[in-house]
Amino acid sequence: MTHSALKELLSRFSDLAILVVGDFFLDRYLMVDPDLAEISLETGLEARQVVEVRNRPGAAGTVTSNLNALGVGQIRAIGAIGDDGQGYDLKAGLHASGVETEHLMEVQGRATPTYTKPILITTGQETERLDIKNRVTLPRQAEDRILAALERLLGEVHGVIVLDQVQERNCGVITDRVREGIAHFATEYPDVAFLADSRSHIGLFRNVTVKVNREEALEAVSTDSRAEAANCQDAAIRSFLDRTGQPVYVTLGPEGILCADGETTDRIPGIPVPGPIDIVGAGDSVSAGIVSALCAGASCVDAARVGVLASSITIQQIGTTGTASPEQVLQRFEEFWQDS
């Protein structure tokens, strides 16, 4: 990939429409000033003093933030949240980053998933996180609405990113039934680029490109081949290729990304950056970069290069979930790959 080819590729992002379906969380940062700490008269415990609240879209919302930063023209969301204050703040953040939320539905009895992260302003250190998640299965009526919205929008988008954040099976948006619907739609719409990313269930996806990290790849292979895969990364990749029939991306942290399409496996080396770094959300920036590039006409390998470039920028943004702009991607290319 040359600099001019990358510039031309990035310029096409504004013409794209990309749909993100899955678990939209609210990331709530509580900025705590330890110098203002008080002792509660009622309990005798320390009362930490919050001097600022910062709300950001998280999980699938991190993906949409990265798509927005990369200049994608239309970004649409499908998901399920609660009718609560966290949902209000989440939607506000999504709207601010150019995301259409018509199909981010409020489901009665559900809470908006929220990661509350206290941050010490003196050091930037994150203390114990507080999580709000749904631990009951998603109602069938909500599944119906999600699948109907997905089918309705597929004729209007170039790509779909599936983000399965919830570890408890069938308690998030990507239930077994929704996953099967995605597998069906992926075959019905072969010109739409589908990519799935899942914290705990990536081995259950079919007919879509998957993005995994090295540990997820080894854990998701079948029981029969796991012993072999533990010592052979290729066996894990082959297991995914056989299951999905689509390319596989394996993120390797600072070592870069493996891209396998069934015929060849290429490794795009990582880009060394000075610390400090924060890897939270790096995988989401990779997903956004890969799918945007694929939809804009890039090869699997060049799409992985865009993912590496984007993630090398986002990990340098401390105390927040980072994003990368086309200008930053081009500059990073010039710094590390101009003469390669």
Side-chain angles (χ1 to χ4, degrees):
M1 175 182 279
T2 64
H3 181 274
S4 60
L6 176 60
K7 186 175 182 179
E8 171 62 24
L9 181 72
L10 294 170
S11 72
R12 294 198 287 269
F13 285 9
S14 61
D15 297 326
L16 300 177
I18 296 179
L19 169 64
V20 180
V21 55
D23 300 305
F24 286 83
F25 277 52
L26 176 69
D27 283 346
R28 175 162 286 167
Y29 296 88
L30 304 181
M31 311 309 293
V32 177
D33 187 343
D35 294 335
L36 299 178
E38 302 174 357
I39 299 299
S40 169
L41 296 177
E42 292 78 12
T43 66
L45 300 175
E46 181 180 295
R48 300 180 182 182
Q49 302 300 301
V50 176
V51 295
E52 183 183 359
V53 178
R54 301 175 185 170
N55 293 316
R56 302 285 188 274
T62 305
V63 177
T64 58
S65 293
N66 275 276
L67 292 171
N68 178 66
L70 285 169
V72 171
Q74 295 183 39
I75 308 165
R76 298 177 178 177
I78 296 178
I81 61 174
D83 180 14
D84 49 29
Q86 292 93 334
Y88 177 89
D89 289 334
L90 172 56
K91 281 191 172 183
L94 291 169
H95 292 158
S97 56
V99 181
E100 298 177 18
T101 63
E102 177 185 353
H103 300 288
L104 188 61
M105 59 199 69
E106 297 175 356
V107 178
Q108 193 71 27
R110 304 280 288 184
T112 299
T114 303
Y115 291 145
T116 301
K117 307 176 181 184
I119 306 289
L120 300 179
I121 65 170
T122 50
T123 64
Q125 178 186 358
E126 180 179 329
T127 60
E128 293 85 354
R129 198 178 73 192
L130 303 174
D131 292 353
I132 298 174
K133 296 195 296 182
N134 296 288
R135 292 177 172 81
V136 296
T137 57
L138 188 71
R140 187 175 182 85
Q141 183 180 17
E143 291 178 321
D144 291 339
R145 294 171 63 191
I146 289 165
L147 291 169
L150 184 56
E151 185 171 23
R152 187 179 308 122
L153 294 177
L154 277 173
E156 304 174 8
V157 300
H158 301 91
V160 176
I161 300 176
V162 182
L163 196 286
D164 180 21
Q165 179 82 1
V166 177
Q167 293 169 287
E168 294 81 6
R169 190 163 174 174
N170 293 320
C171 292
V173 169
I174 309 302
T175 63
D176 292 343
R177 184 164 170 249
V178 170
R179 192 183 301 106
E180 284 302 307
I182 291 169
H184 168 73
F185 290 137
T187 60
E188 290 291 308
Y189 292 84
D191 294 333
V192 176
F194 282 79
L195 181 141
D197 184 8
S198 175
R199 175 161 291 190
S200 301
H201 309 117
I202 194 66
L204 300 178
F205 284 89
R206 296 182 298 109
N207 304 338
V208 299
T209 294
V210 295
K211 192 218 73 183
V212 297
N213 62 38
R214 182 163 25 205
E215 292 73 24
E216 290 167 343
L218 297 179
E219 290 175 2
V221 295
S222 67
T223 303
D224 292 340
S225 61
R226 184 171 297 168
E228 179 185 3
N231 297 309
C232 183
Q233 200 163 245
D234 291 343
I237 293 172
R238 174 54 57 187
S239 176
F240 278 106
L241 289 169
D242 291 344
R243 189 175 302 153
T244 66
Q246 298 294 328
V248 176
Y249 292 92
V250 182
T251 59
L252 308 173
E255 298 174 34
I257 295 177
L258 287 175
C259 173
D261 62 5
E263 296 183 0
T264 62
T265 298
D266 297 280
R267 185 175 75 85
I268 292 76
I271 296 175
V273 296
I277 63 171
D278 183 352
I279 63 171
V280 174
D284 297 321
S285 63
V286 169
S287 296
I290 287 174
V291 173
S292 298
L294 289 174
C295 293
S299 67
C300 290
V301 173
D302 281 345
R305 289 192 175 97
V306 174
V308 167
L309 288 163
S311 62
S312 75
I313 296 162
T314 61
I315 63 174
Q316 291 185 292
Q317 298 167 41
I318 309 300
T320 187
T321 303
T323 60
S325 69
E327 294 76 19
Q328 289 173 310
V329 170
L330 280 169
Q331 181 178 351
R332 185 56 49 91
F333 180 89
E334 293 169 358
E335 293 169 352
F336 287 92
W337 286 344
Q338 181 67 51
D339 299 323
S340 60

